[in-house]
Amino acid sequence: MMFTPRAFKEENLVTITAFIKTHPQATIIAQTAIGLEACHIPMYWQDDGSEFGCLYGHIAKVNALNDIANLSAPWLVVFQGAGHYISPSWYPSKAATHKEVPTWNYHSVHITGNVSVLTEPEALIEILSKQTADFEANQPKPWSLNDAPVEYIQAMCRAIVGIRVDITNVQAQFKLSQNKTTENQAGVVLALKQLKTLRADEMAALVASVS
């Protein structure tokens, strides 16, 4: 479970799945016989008619997670977005009361689910095709699996397994200064914009969106 103060809790599944689509890099954490195992792979969410839907991705066959013994317990999948340090000096109220401390703003989605391993060539091709289409969408000349020799793609598929996570629980925390006054939120936005970095600009826009 993730500690999630009410002010930062996000429960809208449409909002959460949209976040996953724009931040597909996932951290998978699983309990194995020798302890916790983690890996980092892109995953995508799919509506399968269930309450929360499911996630798909793939890992190398030689990955330690590819062991039937690791499938008995649920896995935790974490998606994170832009994070940024927030200085107490950015709050106008700090000058008056000095009752402010540093913090960190961020997005985090924790998904728990039961996992199945997919080895059928058709399932692997479907996962790879979906991910490739998503990631190549903005390219001038999008690459597809059809651009590579069939034998080559088949050989690559023999080295991987597909992962399906049937989601049983979703927790999302979007910590964007929602617990601060409008004046202090405006101070955060102004200070972030003055840093003139891509990460700061992104966080400024996010805080402004909840002001």
Side-chain angles (χ1 to χ4, degrees), residues 86 120 151 183:
I86 306 299
E120 300 84 357
E151 298 79 7
E183 183 182 30

Side-chain angles (χ1 to χ4, degrees), residues 66-184:
N66 183 29
D67 186 331
I68 192 170
N70 299 332
L71 305 182
S72 59
W75 289 10
L76 173 64
V77 183
V78 179
F79 296 90
Q80 289 189 298
H84 207 286
Y85 173 74
I86 306 299
S87 170
S89 299
W90 298 348
Y91 304 130
S93 64
K94 185 264 182 188
T97 68
H98 298 285
K99 294 180 179 180
E100 297 290 353
V101 294
T103 191
W104 191 272
N105 278 1
Y106 61 91
H107 284 95
S108 187
V109 174
H110 286 201
I111 288 177
T112 305
N114 300 313
V115 182
S116 52
V117 173
L118 309 174
T119 57
E120 300 84 357
E122 296 80 7
L124 296 177
I125 291 297
E126 183 176 349
I127 291 172
L128 295 175
S129 296
K130 164 65 174 161
Q131 290 188 311
T132 300
D134 285 348
F135 296 140
E136 289 283 330
N138 295 324
Q139 295 297 317
K141 295 181 179 180
W143 184 91
S144 75
L145 296 184
N146 293 330
D147 290 340
V150 173
E151 298 79 7
Y152 176 75
I153 295 299
Q154 291 174 339
M156 294 293 99
C157 285
R158 288 194 290 271
I160 65 173
V161 295
I163 297 294
R164 173 178 168 135
V165 179
D166 290 295
I167 303 171
T168 56
N169 187 61
V170 179
Q171 288 184 287
Q173 181 168 185
F174 292 179
K175 184 176 180 293
L176 304 171
S177 300
Q178 298 98 319
N179 60 332
K180 299 300 180 182
T181 64
T182 301
E183 183 182 30
N184 281 346

Side-chain angles (χ1 to χ4, degrees), residues 2-3 5 9-10 23 26 29 38 62 70 74 81 99 115 132 138 154 160 190 204 208:
M2 172 172 58
F3 171 66
K9 190 172 186 178
E10 179 57 63
H23 300 83
I29 303 167
V62 295
N70 299 332
K99 294 180 179 180
V115 182
T132 300
N138 295 324
Q154 291 174 339
I160 65 173
L190 178 62

